[in-house]
Amino acid sequence: MTCSSSAVRAPLPLRRVFVLGALCLSLAGPAAQAAPRVGTHRGYTRLVFDLPAGASAAKPRTALSGTRFQVTLGQSLKTESGSLSAPGVRAYAVKGAAVTVTLAPGHAKATATVLPRSGAQPARLVVDVPTSAGAAKVPARPATQSTPAARPAATVRPASTRAVTRPRVVIDAGHGGIDPGMTSRWVTEKDVTLAVARRVRDVLRARGVDVVMVRDSDRHLSADKATDLDARSRLATTGEVSAYISIHVNAGGPSAQGIETYYFGQPLGGQSRSLAVAENGGGSVGQELTRQAAGKAQNVLGDIVAQAKLSFSRQLAQQVQHSLIQSTGAMNRGVHTDAFYVIRNPNTAAILTEIGFGSSPKEGPLLATGAYRDRVGSAIAQAILSFLHMD
């Protein structure tokens, strides 16, 4: 399948969101490995092409002729081509082992790197196209290194120069203040989510990510649940946000356990709405907010651009779920869609993860310990870094 120009020319918000390639992935499935994902950032545009299993991580050959930047790989990809509507790029074409990116007029520089497979993330070709003079300082991470690369030191600049651009991630510690969330003999949800969120924050900030905490103490944003959730949700669309992660603790019968992660959409067939209703405030309030969110989920089905963005939410959800299961050994309850009000605005990759059952005689005591909370938080952070290609 080829991305049609009518799809890729849909209006794109100029903030750090991923849009184009997700369209091909959501409509064409795994076979469309040649279609890129496109991220627009301050200073550069990034194209990411997923590579087949077993792809070599060897440095690709590159050549620039006028506005045509060609990358030659060690393996063939599915033949694809299409228009692009992002700063610095106009089109792409894939044929055999050659990937060609057509740069916009006035752009005469690009870099290419092959990143090896990492966990659930396949090998991928990353093409960065600078869109400003300073963007040349933002290359993709080298694919192979004989020694670990040093982390970039904090940069101190005079006040008159442009600030260093960093990816921004919003972390939502579910509930808080007058809303405790689930409670059990072992844990209270708002306490666990805050501790885990702080761990995610610390790991990401140490790697140079700009982290926005929805709450950094035991507080609520509003006494009215609808207003509270709306304020949390709007943080996903304020400024240039790369990802939004809402952290929660599940509840159920004594035998219920495991981790599950959600991105926004209609629930899968046979899936209960009780969890969405509970996380949306419970009772009549939760039912009404779930109804509203479900209506938006239905509308998204007809919005091809929103579907493209949701594909990146799915990818982030899959990476977070994989990292959590690998790190904790918990039961894998999978990745699902549902109408959670807090992630209903698909302007960026946004997910909600239920990190375990506080009601479980096995997981409740674990979630009460600092060491386990740190393990969960670190796993979420590592998945985010992988999603941002900073792993």
Side-chain angles (χ1 to χ4, degrees), residues 324-343:
L324 282 169
I325 297 303
Q326 189 175 56
S327 178
T328 65
M331 178 185 295
N332 186 356
R333 295 174 66 93
V335 172
H336 311 283
T337 58
D338 208 343
F340 291 100
Y341 197 82
V342 76
I343 56 172

Side-chain angles (χ1 to χ4, degrees), residues 101-381:
V101 176
T102 302
L103 307 182
H107 294 76
K109 187 172 183 179
T111 60
T113 301
V114 173
L115 302 182
R117 179 181 178 85
S118 175
Q121 183 86 309
R124 57 255 189 226
L125 166 66
V126 178
V127 176
D128 284 338
V129 179
T131 55
S132 70
K137 300 177 182 179
V138 194
R141 181 177 62 82
T144 57
Q145 302 169 359
S146 56
T147 57
R151 301 291 179 209
T155 304
V156 179
R157 298 178 183 270
S160 60
T161 64
R162 187 171 181 172
V164 176
T165 300
R166 298 186 296 166
R168 176 174 295 169
V169 172
V170 178
I171 306 297
D172 172 33
H175 306 278
I178 61 173
D179 178 10
M182 72 78 55
T183 59
S184 71
R185 58 182 292 191
W186 301 284
V187 295
T188 299
E189 182 173 6
K190 66 176 183 177
D191 298 332
V192 177
T193 60
L194 181 58
V196 171
R198 285 173 172 169
R199 179 61 178 174
V200 177
R201 174 202 63 192
D202 292 346
V203 174
L204 293 181
R205 284 182 177 171
R207 294 292 298 273
V209 178
D210 179 18
V211 178
V212 176
M213 296 284 283
V214 169
R215 66 180 183 94
D216 200 8
S217 62
D218 182 16
R219 70 182 186 95
H220 51 270
L221 275 61
S222 172
D224 176 71
K225 190 62 179 179
T227 304
D228 180 273
L229 289 175
D230 189 62
R232 292 170 189 257
S233 177
R234 290 184 184 280
L235 286 174
T237 61
T238 301
E240 298 181 355
V241 177
S242 304
Y244 181 101
I245 295 87
S246 188
I247 302 170
H248 292 260
V249 175
N250 225 330
S255 63
Q257 58 180 287
I259 294 172
E260 55 193 3
T261 304
Y262 292 83
Y263 61 100
F264 186 72
Q266 291 285 358
L268 300 177
Q271 185 176 311
S272 170
R273 265 280 163 75
S274 59
L275 179 59
V277 171
E279 296 297 7
N280 288 341
S284 59
V285 172
Q287 291 176 1
E288 173 57 22
L289 294 182
T290 302
R291 185 191 65 78
Q292 294 178 24
K296 180 155 189 175
Q298 183 63 37
N299 292 336
V300 164
L301 293 176
D303 186 335
I304 200 165
V305 175
Q307 278 290 301
K309 296 171 185 176
L310 286 176
S311 289
F312 278 88
S313 294
R314 180 179 66 231
Q315 183 187 79
L316 176 60
Q318 290 169 339
Q319 290 181 243
V320 167
Q321 180 71 10
H322 174 82
S323 183
L324 282 169
I325 297 303
Q326 189 175 56
S327 178
T328 65
M331 178 185 295
N332 186 356
R333 295 174 66 93
V335 172
H336 311 283
T337 58
D338 208 343
F340 291 100
Y341 197 82
V342 76
I343 56 172
R344 75 192 187 283
N345 293 317
N347 291 55
T348 191
I351 66 169
L352 183 148
T353 183
E354 298 278 353
I355 59 175
F357 282 77
S359 54
S360 163
K362 177 181 178 180
E363 293 182 342
L366 281 174
L367 290 166
T369 67
Y372 190 77
R373 294 174 180 180
D374 283 350
R375 190 190 310 173
V376 169
S378 295
I380 294 172

Side-chain angles (χ1 to χ4, degrees), residues 29-74:
Q33 290 178 311
R37 304 190 297 275
V38 179
T40 60
H41 315 260
R42 282 185 294 178
Y44 68 106
T45 292
R46 171 165 289 180
L47 283 69
V48 181
F49 297 80
D50 285 340
L51 301 180
S56 169
K59 184 177 180 179
R61 300 197 309 274
T62 63
L64 180 63
S65 177
T67 59
R68 291 169 60 84
F69 179 70
Q70 186 173 88
V71 182
T72 304
L73 302 167

